[in-house]
Amino acid sequence: AAAGAAAAAGAAPLPAAAAALPAAQQEQIEAFVATLVEWGTHTNLTKERDRDSILERHIADSLALLPALDAAVRSACGDTPAVRPRLVDVGSGPGLPGLVLAIARPEWDFTLLDARRKRVDFMTEAAAAASVSNVSAEWGRAEERAAAGAPCREAFDVATCRALADTAVLAELVLPFVRVGGALVAAKGPAPHAEVATASAALNRMGSDAGAVGIAEVASEGPLGPRTVVTAPKVKKTPSKYPRPPSTIKKKPIR
C-alpha cells in the first residue's frame, strides 16, 4: 500500500483518514501531494511546501469533512442515488478540500471553482497526475457563476468551502449554488458558534434555516482546538438579487 511504501522510505505515514482508503486511492493522494510539492517550488499555493506538512495540515483537514459530507449527500440524494451526486467546492484553491474529497468519493462528481487561473491550472494538472476523473476545475468568481440565470445557480446537491470567509459572507457567496433540499458544508475553526449566530439573518435570507444549522467538531486539531464543520440546509430558493459582489457584502452585511 502507498502508506506502507512511504513509511518504508522514511517519510511519515498517511493520516488515519487517508490510510483507511483503498490502496488505489492512497496512491492518488500521494500523487496529488507530490504534484503540490513540485508546484510549490515555483508557485505559491500553500504555506506548507513539504509532503509531511501538507499531509498533516491539508489532507487530514480535508478528509475530516467526510462524515458531515456523507450525511449531507444522503439527506439530499438518498442512500442509493439514482444519479451521481453533484458537489461544488467554492474557492477551492489548490483543490483543498475538493480534489481530496473527490479522491475519497469517486462516486460523486465535483466542480472545483476558483477565481485565480494559476490555481485552476494546478488543479487540472494535479487531477490528471492523480488520475482523478470525477472533477472539473473551473475558473470564475462565485458571485458571477451563481448569479440568477447562470448555469451553476442552484445546480448542486452540496457545496463545500474551506477558509473562504466568515459565515455571513460565505452564506451569500455559496448558498446560491445549492438546490433546495441540498446543503452547504463549510469547514471552520474551533468554536464558531458566535460567528454562526451573527450570520443567522444572512443564512435565512439566502434560503437556509438558521435554526437548523448544525455545528460539529471534526477529527482535525488546530492550534486553538478541534476544528469544526458547519452544515446549513437549503430550504428555499435564494432571492434573485443575491449574491452581491464581495466588496458590497463586506460593506453592507445582512444583519
Side-chain angles (χ1 to χ4, degrees):
L14 290 173
L21 296 173
Q25 286 156 274
Q26 293 182 38
E27 292 172 3
Q28 288 178 296
I29 293 286
E30 291 282 13
F32 166 72
V33 172
T35 308
L36 187 52
V37 169
E38 193 279 323
W39 270 62
T41 63
H42 57 76
T43 304
N44 182 23
L45 293 172
T46 65
K47 181 174 69 174
E48 293 77 16
R49 301 296 177 90
D50 64 279
R51 172 190 175 275
D52 293 356
S53 298
I54 291 168
L55 287 174
E56 179 182 359
R57 175 65 185 92
H58 296 295
I59 303 304
D61 199 36
S62 296
L63 292 175
L65 297 177
L66 281 175
L69 267 184
D70 287 338
V73 169
R74 280 196 306 272
S75 178
C77 304
D79 291 329
T80 55
V83 296
R84 290 171 65 89
R86 296 188 67 200
L87 292 87
V88 60
D89 186 34
V90 180
S92 196
L96 301 166
L99 189 46
V100 178
L101 295 169
I103 291 171
R105 293 292 182 267
E107 66 274 21
W108 300 347
D109 289 329
F110 284 79
T111 296
L112 312 179
L113 181 67
D114 202 88
R116 295 189 180 182
R117 288 194 181 276
K118 70 176 181 180
R119 294 173 177 170
V120 176
D121 291 343
F122 167 77
M123 288 189 287
T124 300
E125 182 173 316
S131 300
V132 183
S133 60
N134 59 323
V135 299
S136 173
E138 300 183 9
W139 174 80
R141 301 188 65 84
E143 68 273 18
E144 296 170 357
R145 297 297 296 272
C152 287
R153 176 80 169 196
E154 298 184 331
F156 297 92
D157 301 304
V158 176
T160 62
C161 57
R162 174 177 180 256
L164 183 64
D166 73 35
T167 303
V169 175
L170 68 84
E172 185 166 343
L173 289 176
V174 182
L175 272 169
F177 285 94
V178 182
R179 66 169 177 85
V180 174
L184 160 65
V185 177
K188 302 298 290 183
H193 302 77
E195 177 192 307
V196 173
T198 302
S200 292
L203 287 161
N204 289 335
R205 187 86 57 88
M206 294 308 124
S208 187
D209 175 2
V213 170
I215 302 172
E217 290 185 355
V218 301
S220 178
E221 191 81 14
L224 301 178
R227 297 187 176 95
T228 58
V229 60
V230 173
T231 302
K234 184 77 173 277
V235 299
K236 60 185 178 182
K237 287 183 174 292
T238 303
S240 60
K241 67 179 180 179
Y242 300 109
R244 300 169 294 165
S247 59
T248 304
I249 298 172
K250 291 176 182 176
K251 289 178 185 175
K252 299 179 180 179
I254 297 169
R255 295 285 187 252

